């Protein structure tokens, strides 16, 4: 035990994902643009929801504003570090930095899972029970639900981080991944990881399966309600509103299930799949929710128009 303790790791090296060396500059610039546009797009939605009185009093847009905060945070803790993979300098990540990255990724990721479920339930109430919607879902209740999602996500992230880093890590220190995540880090542990793998599979499996099942159930009821709408325009608007959410949920949940819900998650495709919840989804969320949401577009026009009036004055 003394020899193990004397060689415990103090830092890790993230090897990233394989790529052609001739594309190094292109990939660095590409993900830099992705990161900048992700921050700007989500910040724009956040400001719009906050400034526009018609939006920030509506539960759906409270959820959307919180989603923008989560997307900005996930992108920030993952993408800048990932971009260092495309530079010539190898910069290790400290042990504490690795713990922090893993905690916040699972904290924010599970909170996002819960938030997607709340958004699906909100759409279910708005479409299937429109007369009771103002009573069943209001700004105060939506704020409490969001707070509950944050607390549950924090507990989930803490559980995963504590279980992962309670194990000794005595070498090697190369994490074959582009960020500190559970499957990649556990492969470096100098102890039996059977319990960790089982808890990870069950814990993340319960979160993903329960959230996805509730979302699926909500949209089955929504589709049934939409098919009862007599006007073609009404059906089109309802499908358009829900189509954006279904697209985002699919892009988010399918890669997560592929990475975590397999007994031995050690595939070369894991890194590519992980890019979706960490880089792609935060980037496309503002595009989908802006371009396919008439109320957000109108709020943007009102905000831009107000800025123009102030500048002319």
């Amino acid at each position: 035990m003394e020899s193990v303790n004397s060689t415990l790791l103090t830092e890790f090296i993230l090897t990233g994902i394989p790529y052609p060396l001739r594309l190094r500059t292109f990939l660095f610039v590409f993900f830099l643009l992705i990161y900048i546009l992700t921050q700007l797009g989500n910040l724009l939605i956040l400001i719009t929801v906050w400034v526009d009185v018609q939006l920030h009093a509506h539960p759906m847009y409270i959820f959307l504003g919180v989603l923008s905060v989560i997307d900005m945070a996930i992108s920030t803790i993952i993408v800048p570090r990932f971009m260092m993979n495309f530079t010539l300098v190898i910069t290790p990540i400290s042990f504490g930095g690795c713990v922090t990255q893993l905690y916040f990724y699972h904290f924010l990721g599970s909170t996002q899972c819960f938030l997607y479920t709340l958004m699906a339930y909100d759409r279910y109430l708005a479409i299937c029970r429109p007369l009771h919607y103002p009573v069943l879902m209001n700004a105060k209740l939506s704020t409490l639900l969001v707070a509950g999602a944050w607390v549950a996500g924090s507990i989930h992230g803490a559980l995963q981080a504590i279980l992962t880093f309670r194990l000794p890590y005595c070498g090697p220190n190369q994490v074959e991944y582009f960020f500190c995540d559970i499957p990649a880090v556990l492969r470096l542990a100098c102890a039996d990881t059977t319990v960790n793998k089982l808890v990870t599979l069950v814990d993340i499996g319960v979160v993903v399966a329960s959230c996805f099942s509730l979302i699926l159930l909500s949209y089955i009821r929504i589709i049934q309600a939409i098919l009862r709408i007599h006007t073609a325009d009404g059906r089109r608007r309802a499908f358009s509103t829900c189509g954006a959410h279904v697209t985002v949920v699919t892009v988010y949940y399918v890669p997560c299930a592929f990475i975590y819900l397999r007994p031995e998650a050690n595939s070369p495709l894991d890194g590519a799949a992980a890019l979706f919840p960490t880089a792609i989804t935060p980037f496309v969320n503002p595009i989908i929710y802006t371009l396919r949401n008439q109320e957000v577009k109108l709020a943007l026009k009102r905000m831009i128009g107000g800025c123009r009036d102030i500048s002319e004055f």
Side-chain angles (χ1 to χ4, degrees):
M1 181 62 68
E2 292 180 357
S3 61
V4 171
N5 288 336
S6 64
T7 57
L8 290 179
L9 298 178
T10 59
E11 62 183 23
F12 295 97
I13 295 176
L14 302 174
T15 62
I17 57 177
Y19 66 92
L21 291 179
R22 66 180 183 277
L23 297 179
R24 171 179 286 162
T25 302
F26 168 78
L27 290 172
F28 180 86
V29 174
F30 175 77
F31 282 101
L32 176 62
L33 290 175
I34 289 289
Y35 176 70
I36 293 173
L37 293 175
T38 296
Q39 299 302 308
L40 292 178
N42 282 289
L43 183 61
L44 180 62
I45 287 183
L46 189 60
I47 292 174
T48 303
V49 172
W50 180 264
V51 171
D52 194 277
V53 178
Q54 297 182 35
L55 292 187
H56 72 233
H58 197 292
M60 176 182 176
Y61 298 105
I62 293 176
F63 297 144
L64 184 57
V66 175
L67 180 63
S68 293
V69 172
I70 293 175
D71 283 338
M72 293 171 68
I74 287 180
S75 178
T76 297
I77 65 173
I78 300 296
V79 177
R81 187 79 206 185
F82 171 58
M83 288 166 50
M84 297 177 67
N85 185 45
F86 306 119
T87 64
L88 297 175
V89 180
I90 298 177
T91 305
I93 182 172
S94 67
F95 189 91
C98 194
V99 175
T100 302
Q101 190 180 55
L102 187 145
Y103 165 72
F104 276 102
Y105 174 67
H106 284 273
F107 163 36
L108 296 168
S110 56
T111 302
Q112 192 164 17
C113 285
F114 301 138
L115 188 64
Y116 282 143
T117 308
L118 294 177
M119 294 174 74
Y121 179 64
D122 175 76
R123 291 300 82 207
Y124 159 74
L125 292 178
I127 294 175
C128 299
R129 307 188 66 180
L131 298 179
H132 299 91
Y133 178 78
V135 177
L136 296 174
M137 183 65 73
N138 51 53
K140 182 178 180 180
L141 177 59
S142 61
T143 302
L144 290 175
L145 290 173
V146 167
W150 281 111
V151 172
S154 178
I155 294 172
H156 171 82
L159 174 65
Q160 294 299 333
I162 292 171
L163 285 175
T164 300
F165 290 100
R166 71 180 178 84
L167 300 174
Y169 292 89
C170 48
N173 70 338
Q174 291 193 342
V175 179
E176 296 181 359
Y177 216 51
F178 63 91
F179 70 101
C180 290
D181 199 14
I182 298 170
V185 173
L186 284 181
R187 287 195 286 271
L188 304 181
C190 302
D192 182 29
T193 60
T194 303
V195 174
N196 290 71
K197 291 177 181 178
L198 180 61
V199 172
T200 298
L201 183 65
V202 173
D203 182 30
I204 296 180
V206 168
V207 171
V208 171
S210 59
C211 290
F212 188 76
S213 297
L214 290 172
I215 292 171
L216 184 62
L217 179 62
S218 296
Y219 278 99
I220 289 174
R221 300 296 299 272
I222 288 171
I223 291 172
Q224 292 174 343
I226 290 174
L227 294 176
R228 290 196 294 266
I229 298 176
H230 297 293
T231 63
D233 183 62
R235 286 195 298 269
R236 181 189 60 78
R237 291 177 60 187
F239 271 121
S240 177
T241 301
C242 298
H245 188 198
V246 171
T247 300
V248 170
V249 166
T250 302
V251 171
Y252 184 83
Y253 275 96
V254 172
C256 288
F258 176 79
I259 295 169
Y260 299 109
L261 302 187
R262 290 177 294 139
E264 291 294 334
N266 188 17
S267 168
L269 296 177
D270 285 349
L275 286 174
F276 282 90
T278 58
I280 305 302
T281 302
F283 170 68
V284 301
N285 274 349
I287 299 173
I288 292 176
Y289 283 110
T290 301
L291 296 181
R292 301 196 62 177
N293 191 301
Q294 192 64 29
E295 292 184 22
V296 174
K297 288 191 287 187
L298 291 174
L300 281 171
K301 290 180 181 179
R302 288 194 295 267
M303 187 175 69
I304 294 172
C307 292
R308 287 177 177 174
D309 292 339
I310 294 175
S311 62
E312 290 176 0
F313 178 77

